[in-house]
Amino acid sequence: MARLQIKTSILALACALSCHADPFDSLRLKWRALLVGGDRVDDSIPEIHSQLAAIETHARGYWRSMQKTPERDGLWNEFSSPTSSSQITSAWSRLHYMALAWATPGQKLFGDPALLASIREGMSWMEQHRYSARVPEEYGNWWDWEIGTPLAIDDLLVLLYDRLTPEEIARYAAAIDRFVPDPRVLRVKTPSTGANRVWKCQGAALRAIVVKDAMKQQLAVDGLDPVFQYVTSGDGFYEDGSYIQHIRHPYTGGYGNALIADIANLLYLLAGSNWEVRNPARVNVYRWVFDSFQPLIYRGAMMDMVRGREVSRAGSTDHATGHAIAAAILRISQFAPPDQARRMRSMVKEYFLDDSALKWSAGGSIEQLMAVHTLLADQAVPRRGDLSGSWVFGGMD
């Protein structure tokens, strides 16, 4: 197969990131690059080629099974209930995955006009019948209304931004704002802490970027402040390295996994912008890498004793969790102080090379896989080697 260096409108992206006057456009395009891979993607790398093929295959499957008749009860037969919040999230997530294929170069659905039309039609149907600024949050799980669905819609708006009308963008953004008006609070009697707080802030921040809402953008950034602080009870990170979610559960490999991944992406996204996170306590993120996550990952796998209910989910394994955390740590190394960044890269390299149960290219976005491939090929980065030490997680004990 001939080598192909995939470019995602490099000139336009470079202009937007370096010389465009609108800071919101720069942030939007930076997030889009995280979703589709940016300008570093090379599909001559077998693992990247396979992942691109997987994106196309899954999107084709969702597109093929999507219900397209006017009298349909749902976009997919299995998501036809009008009172299931999880089906709302699942349907929006499938539309998001179809949009990812439409927007990602290197596979045959890239730029497909018929696929785009189906996605837009599906989004319109979901806004009319399931999730909009007009419907109440009166059934199901609050997580779907306030986190799962908003995050999927955010990515859809970023991926399809140039192909949506201003009216479409306004309607979908209004739906997010209806259920995430203030990321610092939840609309149920559950504390907005830990990973839940970060998810809410990400949902609000991306919506604000798309509609260029400076006030809500600052609110989302400020909403992250409590997450960086160490706690002595309840949810959050403890000085001894423990991580707790839902008041008393050791959850470094569950909610902690989601938290570190999203914090890494948000700090990376906002770095150098008008909304860069400037809370002095943000440096604690680097401590979490070494004190909270490193001792609990062995040969690329996150220990089950801190994965909570994730151990019961067929799609969640200890090695897949370890790889997701490793990818987040690699992202953090992009903006961490030089000495700590070097240690992080050596740590991540050790995880992927020492894992004999799961290949480094299993899962992850195209952008993440390219970053890992670059790291593994970099002879200047040594492997960390075995980790020796003793850690007592009193907060989790």
Side-chain angles (χ1 to χ4, degrees):
M1 174 180 176
R3 293 182 61 87
L4 172 64
Q5 184 72 27
I6 301 171
K7 303 292 184 181
T8 58
S9 303
I10 299 176
L11 294 178
L13 179 61
C15 178
L17 292 178
S18 63
C19 61
H20 202 292
D22 191 322
F24 286 110
D25 287 340
S26 297
L27 290 174
R28 174 174 52 79
L29 288 170
K30 192 174 181 181
W31 190 262
R32 192 179 194 276
L34 289 182
L35 296 175
V36 303
D39 62 355
R40 301 185 303 155
V41 182
D42 184 352
D43 85 336
S44 69
I45 300 169
E47 294 84 359
I48 300 300
H49 183 76
S50 295
Q51 185 67 4
L52 288 168
I55 290 174
E56 179 182 342
T57 297
H58 282 97
R60 283 192 185 279
Y62 295 148
W63 190 15
R64 188 180 305 113
S65 61
M66 182 177 174
Q67 300 302 302
K68 304 175 180 66
T69 58
E71 63 273 13
R72 61 194 169 190
D73 295 324
L75 295 186
W76 285 271
N77 284 335
E78 59 269 40
F79 301 148
S80 60
S81 171
T83 57
S84 171
S85 64
S86 65
Q87 291 185 15
I88 295 175
T89 298
S90 295
W92 279 108
S93 296
R94 286 190 180 184
L95 290 171
H96 162 232
Y97 206 94
M98 291 162 63
L100 181 65
W102 176 85
T104 302
Q107 39 79 45
K108 294 178 182 178
L109 289 179
F110 174 56
D112 188 298
L115 175 61
L116 176 62
S118 291
I119 297 168
R120 291 179 65 184
E121 183 185 10
M123 293 173 68
S124 178
W125 191 93
M126 289 296 295
E127 197 275 339
Q128 291 179 44
H129 298 279
R130 293 290 187 271
Y131 189 90
S132 72
R134 304 177 303 278
V135 301
E137 183 180 337
E138 61 183 12
Y139 60 85
N141 190 332
W142 68 266
W143 188 93
D144 294 302
W145 295 95
E146 300 181 35
I147 293 176
T149 292
L151 291 177
I153 297 176
D154 277 330
D155 283 352
L156 274 160
L157 294 178
V158 169
L159 290 168
L160 305 182
Y161 183 83
D162 293 328
R163 300 303 180 94
L164 298 175
T165 67
E167 189 273 337
E168 285 176 303
I169 292 174
R171 282 193 290 120
Y172 302 132
I176 296 174
D177 198 47
R178 164 76 170 83
F179 298 103
V180 194
D182 185 342
R184 298 171 301 177
V185 297
L186 301 181
R187 294 161 61 88
V188 296
K189 294 180 180 179
T190 300
S192 180
T193 55
N196 287 329
R197 170 66 74 99
V198 176
W199 275 324
K200 292 271 288 188
C201 289
Q202 178 176 315
L206 291 175
R207 174 212 162 267
I209 288 169
V210 170
V211 299
K212 304 183 180 183
D213 185 337
M215 183 186 74
K216 286 295 181 73
Q217 176 71 350
Q218 192 61 55
L219 187 65
V221 174
D222 291 344
L224 292 170
D225 285 349
V227 178
F228 299 118
Q229 306 293 334
Y230 282 107
V231 301
T232 57
S233 64
D235 294 351
F237 285 95
Y238 291 65
E239 289 275 4
D240 65 16
S242 298
Y243 179 77
I244 297 291
Q245 189 87 37
H246 289 319
I247 302 174
R248 59 182 175 275
H249 299 289
Y251 245 127
T252 317
Y255 283 95
N257 170 24
L259 188 154
I260 196 70
D262 290 333
I263 278 287
N265 285 336
L266 286 172
L267 291 178
Y268 169 80
L269 173 69
L270 299 171
S273 75
N274 297 345
W275 299 277
E276 182 169 5
V277 177
R278 304 188 185 281
N279 188 322
R282 59 165 283 176
V283 298
N284 288 334
V285 172
Y286 312 135
R287 288 185 58 187
W288 301 344
V289 170
F290 299 108
D291 298 344
S292 298
F293 291 96
Q294 181 174 219
L296 293 169
I297 299 178
Y298 177 70
R299 303 197 71 179
M302 168 57 71
M303 297 182 186
D304 281 338
M305 64 183 179
V306 293
R307 294 207 305 124
R309 61 190 171 198
E310 293 297 310
V311 299
S312 70
R313 292 173 172 165
S316 175
T317 69
D318 51 354
H319 286 269
T321 299
H323 287 207
I325 293 170
I329 294 172
L330 186 56
R331 169 87 66 233
I332 293 170
S333 75
Q334 294 180 273
F335 52 81
D339 288 347
Q340 296 183 66
R342 283 192 291 270
R343 291 175 59 198
M344 291 178 194
R345 288 192 286 270
S346 291
M347 179 199 310
V348 171
K349 194 168 197 176
E350 181 69 25
Y351 291 152
F352 286 116
L353 292 179
D354 199 36
D355 193 337
S356 59
L358 186 67
K359 193 173 181 180
W360 66 267
S361 58
S365 68
I366 294 294
E367 194 276 340
Q368 288 173 330
L369 295 185
M370 280 301 305
V372 175
H373 177 270
T374 300
L375 172 71
L376 297 182
D378 189 349
Q379 299 300 314
V381 179
R383 293 175 59 169
R384 182 203 63 193
D386 289 338
L387 179 68
S388 297
S390 177
W391 291 265
V392 178
F393 297 107
M396 291 194 290
D397 288 343

